[in-house]
């Protein structure tokens, strides 16, 4: 249903806001006035992935820690859940990654910016150190994270809609957040965020063999046709690797097409489509690499470029 990304300085009160939001959303979803689908509210945080705050002391440990949280998000995100991501989320590139994951699932998004002054964060970090040493940031790490923090921006799509909650506010803007994640715009996945359909394992084999058979069929039809060299439609029979024969019509120019011309066009066709197979298709949905479709594409390709 929705992905809510909470962002703010370390020790700024993000977890408190996440718990407030969870409590509010659950209350709204259980109220008689709510008539929408059945939803659950889940919080995922560094604590859930066993990530300690000390990992932020070392960049080499921080990267896999972010990856662990992102993996947890991918596992929990779905259309029946309002997922609240309570983590550092201080890097705009990471927030964009979360946004892309949400678009792939076609769910709504919003960002909550928990605002607190650096001196307040230092004070709160120190106050919870008693008996919870593992749950605090070192002074140098906290200052470093504050300095590197990339503030959310409502003008960019991955941070929008953006709700800013100052430290002086006791409550969260619950109604506005609820409306955003239950009735806001759902952005469809695009090429950059959609999952590319896997290419069949026999795609390259079909491409090579079918292309060879099409060229052979054209040469054979030319040699036996009484109108060869006069141009116009020519019926060809393509023997597919699956032992199935398909009949195609190809329109040729008013001259005999040589084997060297056909081989050159075949190489161009195969090279182009090999790149699509190995690098991944950019088309929406799966690409059909069956011999029948490959034969049809090559026939049309030869028709278009035979005169060049």
């Amino acid at each position: 249903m929705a992905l809510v990304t909470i962002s703010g300085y370390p020790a700024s009160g993000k977890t408190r806001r996440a718990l407030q939001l969870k409590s509010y959303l659950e209350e709204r979803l259980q109220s008689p006035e709510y008539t929408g689908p059945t939803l659950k509210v889940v919080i995922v945080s560094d604590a859930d992935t066993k990530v300690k705050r000390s990992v932020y002391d070392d960049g080499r440990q921080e990267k896999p820690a972010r990856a662990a949280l992102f993996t947890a998000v991918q596992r929990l995100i779905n259309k029946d859940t309002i997922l609240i991501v309570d983590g550092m989320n201080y890097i705009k590139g990471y927030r964009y990654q979360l946004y892309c994951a949400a678009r792939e699932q076609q769910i709504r998004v919003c960002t909550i910016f928990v605002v607190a002054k650096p001196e307040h964060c230092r004070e709160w970090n120190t106050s919870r150190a008693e008996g919870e040493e593992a749950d605090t940031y070192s002074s140098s790490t906290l200052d470093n994270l504050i300095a590197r923090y990339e503030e959310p921006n409502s003008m960019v799509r991955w941070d929008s809609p953006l709700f800013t909650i100052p430290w002086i506010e006791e409550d969260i803007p619950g109604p506005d957040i609820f409306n955003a994640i239950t009735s806001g715009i759902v952005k469809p996945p695009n090429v950059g965020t959609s999952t590319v359909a896997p290419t069949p394992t026999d795609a390259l084999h079909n491409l090579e063999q079918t292309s060879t058979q099409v060229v052979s069929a054209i040469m054979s039809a030319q040699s036996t046709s009484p109108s060869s060299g006069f141009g116009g439609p020519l019926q060809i029979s393509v023997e597919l690797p699956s032992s199935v024969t398909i009949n195609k019509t190809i329109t040729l120019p008013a001259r005999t097409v040589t084997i060297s011309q056909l081989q050159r066009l075949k190489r161009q066709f195969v090279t182009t489509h090999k790149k699509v197979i190995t690098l991944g298709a950019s088309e929406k949905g799966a690409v059909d690499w069956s011999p029948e479709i490959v034969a049809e594409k090559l026939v049309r390709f030869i028709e278009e470029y035979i005169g060049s």
Side-chain angles (χ1 to χ4, degrees), residues 151-162:
E151 186 174 313
N153 183 352
S154 62
M155 299 299 292
V156 298
R157 60 188 183 280
W158 58 88
D159 287 334
S160 179
L162 177 64

Side-chain angles (χ1 to χ4, degrees), residues 84-100:
I84 303 170
V85 186
D86 173 23
M88 283 298 299
N89 305 326
Y90 73 99
I91 300 173
K92 61 183 178 182
Y94 185 70
R95 295 197 297 271
Y96 176 72
Q97 191 177 8
L98 293 171
Y99 164 82
C100 288

Side-chain angles (χ1 to χ4, degrees), residues 99-162:
Y99 164 82
C100 288
R103 284 196 64 175
E104 184 178 319
Q105 295 294 325
Q106 299 186 52
I107 63 174
R108 297 178 179 88
V109 298
C110 81
T111 303
I112 296 177
F113 180 22
V114 180
V115 179
K117 293 182 178 180
E119 54 266 30
H120 292 154
C121 297
R122 297 186 185 97
E123 179 184 341
W124 295 332
N125 185 60
T126 302
S127 66
R128 66 185 180 189
E130 299 178 4
E132 297 183 79
E133 191 63 35
D135 198 38
T136 62
Y137 301 94
S138 67
S139 297
S140 59
T141 299
L142 189 141
D143 289 340
N144 185 35
L145 288 172
I146 289 175
R148 290 193 288 136
Y149 183 75
E150 297 175 345
E151 186 174 313
N153 183 352
S154 62
M155 299 299 292
V156 298
R157 60 188 183 280
W158 58 88
D159 287 334
S160 179
L162 177 64

Side-chain angles (χ1 to χ4, degrees), residues 45 71 102 158 164-165 170-171 192 195-196 204 209 233 278:
S45 65
T71 299
W158 58 88
T164 301
I165 307 177
E170 286 295 325
D171 297 321
T195 303
V196 177
L204 282 172
Q209 275 207 327
T278 56

